Amino acid sequence: MAEKKMVEAITSMEDNFSQWYTDVVHKAELVRHSGVRGCMYVQPYGTALWENIRNELDARFKATGHENVMLPMFIPESLLQKEKDHVEGFAPEVAWVTHGGSEKLTERLCIRPTSEVLFCDYYAGIVQSWRDLPKLYNQWASVCRWEKTTRPFLRTLEFYWQEGHTLHETAEEAQAETEQMLNVYADFAEQHLAMPVIKGRKTDKEKFAGAVATYTIEALMHDGQALQAGTSHYFGDGFTRAFDINFTGRSGKVEYPHQTSWGMSTRIIGGIIMTHGDNSGLVMPPKVAPVQVIVLPIAQHKPGVIEGANAIADSLKDIARVKVDASDNSPGWKFAQWEMKGVPLRVECGPRDLEAGTCVVVMRHNREKITVNISDLPMQIPVLLQQVHDGLYQKALAHREEMTHTATTLEEICSIAKTKPGFIKAMWCGDLACEMQLKEQAGVTSRCIPFEQEKIADSCICCGKPAKEMVYWGRAY
Amino acid sequence: MAEKKMVEAITSMEDNFSQWYTDVVHKAELVRHSGVRGCMYVQPYGTALWENIRNELDARFKATGHENVMLPMFIPESLLQKEKDHVEGFAPEVAWVTHGGSEKLTERLCIRPTSEVLFCDYYAGIVQSWRDLPKLYNQWASVCRWEKTTRPFLRTLEFYWQEGHTLHETAEEAQAETEQMLNVYADFAEQHLAMPVIKGRKTDKEKFAGAVATYTIEALMHDGQALQAGTSHYFGDGFTRAFDINFTGRSGKVEYPHQTSWGMSTRIIGGIIMTHGDNSGLVMPPKVAPVQVIVLPIAQHKPGVIEGANAIADSLKDIARVKVDASDNSPGWKFAQWEMKGVPLRVECGPRDLEAGTCVVVMRHNREKITVNISDLPMQIPVLLQQVHDGLYQKALAHREEMTHTATTLEEICSIAKTKPGFIKAMWCGDLACEMQLKEQAGVTSRCIPFEQEKIADSCICCGKPAKEMVYWGRAY
């Protein structure tokens, strides 16, 4: 019974991408739906993936001088309301605690949808002098936003993330921090998740509630929709003035620190699935794969086969995350299951292989098979994992390039938006009116104003006035 | 200003233990109070301590075959009510979410006070056959209990913990799991935190809501009050029947799995403080200390001193968590600050030391000073850290032994309870009435029925009927 469920074909991505996604997250045993709308039971395989993401990001944060803290999940209503834009952005989508035990609270508490105001309240108590700056803090937490429609990882009521919050003496330092952390995210996405991203700035319409500027990394999913994969915000001193966080500067004058925040969430798991997955299921980027190598004994009832498989796994245990599947399921079922789970490398060893001192290594993403001497495996596996990583990255990059279009007239952008999924590059004058018109007529929103600009035309694609910037437009998760 | 705050004397523990505790948690920069009653801003130093605890426990859980999952923070009211004893135990102390955004929820959600019912709901969907067992899951999370009076770490509305939840085919297996995890906690407390503990079973009155049996490790704090430092519960099949979790057994019959849960929380940080701390502040057990070695350059304005201190730190960076304090604070202030933070070893190096190729190592817990050749430090530091660990453990054990009393009559236990803080060992018949009477007359509660029994007398200290067990009694946090 349990076996059948796993090997049943999943919906093909060409037929129904959304259903394919749902099939994959469940059949690869990443999550199950919980009894609370929009909340996940994240299964061991999904949790292990998130832990690998977390550990690598955490190491990168610590290497750039950040420390972790833990702030409460509750925000008193009055605290949330201290910064005007922020409360307007978030109040409509928070969960409210009104009772503790049997007693009604005198002030409602919201479950944090993000923690800017908590960090501000904390910072107000610990910053007095320029010597106390910078404050470079991060926290790993779950937050809650009361979304109308939800999908596992992509949009859930409760989601897991990290949120960095920093205070700096000067605007320049804060801006440099914002940029540094965007680069950390971009490098992590590309070097660790094999996910090519475009770095840029959000338009004012799309920026974070309360931010002066929001920077983003945008990835293109297999179906041509964009995913905001990580963001880094520059706040100026808006929050610090609202929360009366100030310090005695070097010159003895009272000053307000400049602030940033930056976050990456479990949403990135949705991005991994939709960047690399195929009609056999998940394809895990090797560096975060919970299992990097699955060893399958073939004809395992024959003497010495399971022992041989275990010996292979043993020889790799300090080199890769390796597992042997010696269960009594059929080889065909095992192939399908571990492909569904997206394990980068499968090592097959049968009696004849073992006798010859060889095994067959199959790469998940392109099904290439090679025969390797068992004694060479400890040397070969890291090389093959890197090869898989590079292959995934190149494939995703080629796909994105193929799906990136250019438009110079309103008719053209409408026609492309209707017929070709993907990014559309077009010039923009910077006016909200044009941004709104493109949403209405072409059905696309601005994804980002990329740091790497190209001059496609002189005038705004919408109003014809002189263009300020080239913008990536598209549909997004 | 900031300097003064740190070196101001703290309240002495003999004068007011409770105020001493409060002073230490704040002056060692572990936590600050947040704007929400009973919730903490856990500062970087406190968070780093919790991370060291978490990483070690997590490794021990994984080594015993457990996997992590992440379940939601919300429990629908109807789900909480499925197991009678459990809901009675927890409903009075949960926080209720009644609104999401601007809309009133049709069913209230509580913030998890613990996750038995969520795990049951999850397990109901994934357990069908005896082949699916055991399920050995754990999660790291924060939970919320609406406590009336709170103290940092010891009792907070929101606290951080891990909760293991497991399902087994047989009662025997589940009982073995319960015992195994209690041993993991005891070993962790003693070998990692230098905190001696007594292993035992809770009386029915003190056991967890819904459990068949609760096992505990009990530690004795410096002031003679007990701290329940970790618990492991055996549930039988009460929850699995209530939640209709069943499986087809080996014989083909439908059976109900046997369940356990076990947890350790940020409360253990309160335990570390009150076990090892002294009137100069914290004393960190070396294995979890965020900083294990602080290197202080003496007369640091002289040429080569800071370089010498940095070279010492460099030589130790793969051996211990080491930090150099080359700030412009005075040596006296630095000594006081790092003592307040409880760093196990202080390395002092001045110009003459460096010239002679030596340095002075001072142990935090007993102030012993030794002169060590700088070139020997990489070999000596691990030895000294182990020596500190052993010293702390022996000191705490001696203190507990000194504070453990024996009583054989009601008058005696009342008199000891009034005059001598600590544990009191006394015989018990097993009746709730006697347990209640001891609470009323002597002001003590049962801490545990220790696995290591001694026969102090034949009859119950309270009613004089034949005694069943020797019990540790005391006051507790």
Side-chain angles (χ1 to χ4, degrees), chain B residues 13 25 36 50 64-65 71-72 79 107 117 120 135 138 159 192 199 222 250-251 303 326-327 349 351 360 384 426:
Chain B
M13 54 206 295
V25 294
V36 179
W50 179 239
T64 43
L71 304 194
L79 195 66
E107 179 180 16
V117 300
C120 283
K135 289 288 180 208
N138 174 65
F159 60 91
H192 226 74
K199 294 191 279 186
H222 194 87
R250 288 169 202 259
S251 67
S327 67
C349 58
V360 176
L384 290 169

Side-chain angles (χ1 to χ4, degrees), chain A residues 5 32 34-36 39-44 47 50-51 54 62 67-74 76 91-103 105 108-109 111-112 118 121-122 125-126 128 137 142 144 146 148 158 160 266, chain B residues 5 32 34-36 39-44 47 50-51 54 62 67-74 76 91-103 105 108-109 111-112 118 121-122 125-126 128 137 142 144 146 148 158 160 266:
Chain A
K5 256 189 276 172
R32 291 180 66 89
S34 87
V36 179
C39 290
M40 302 180 280
Y41 291 151
V42 186
Q43 302 223 77
T47 303
W50 179 239
E51 286 180 348
R54 189 193 67 190
K62 283 176 176 154
E67 295 178 290
N68 288 332
V69 298
M70 303 190 294
L71 305 194
M73 69 162 89
F74 299 121
E93 57 177 45
V94 296
W96 290 103
V97 175
T98 56
H99 291 75
S102 50
E103 132 211 11
L105 305 185
R108 299 198 297 177
L109 304 173
I111 314 278
R112 62 183 165 213
L118 290 165
D121 186 55
Y122 171 40
I126 59 170
Q128 280 102 35
Y137 293 166
S142 79
C144 177
W146 215 259
K148 295 255 185 283
E158 182 186 7
Y160 304 86
T266 32
Chain B
K5 256 189 277 171
R32 290 179 67 88
S34 87
V36 179
C39 290
M40 303 181 279
Y41 292 151
V42 186
Q43 302 223 77
T47 304
W50 179 239
E51 285 179 348
R54 190 194 66 192
K62 282 176 177 155
E67 296 178 289
N68 288 332
V69 297
M70 303 190 294
L71 304 194
M73 68 163 88
F74 299 121
E93 57 175 46
V94 296
W96 290 104
V97 174
T98 57
H99 290 74
S102 51
E103 132 210 11
L105 304 184
R108 298 198 299 177
L109 304 173
I111 313 278
R112 62 182 164 214
L118 290 165
D121 186 54
Y122 170 40
I126 58 170
Q128 279 102 36
Y137 294 165
S142 78
C144 178
W146 215 260
K148 295 255 185 284
E158 182 185 7
Y160 304 86
T266 32

Side-chain angles (χ1 to χ4, degrees), chain A residues 365-390:
Chain A
H365 72 301
N366 61 8
R367 258 84 170 193
E368 262 178 48
K369 284 186 187 204
I370 51 168
T371 299
V372 178
N373 287 326
I374 289 172
S375 58
D376 291 342
L377 275 179
M379 209 178 60
Q380 280 296 309
I381 290 292
V383 176
L384 290 169
L385 288 172
Q386 186 61 45
Q387 207 170 307
V388 173
H389 171 89
D390 295 341

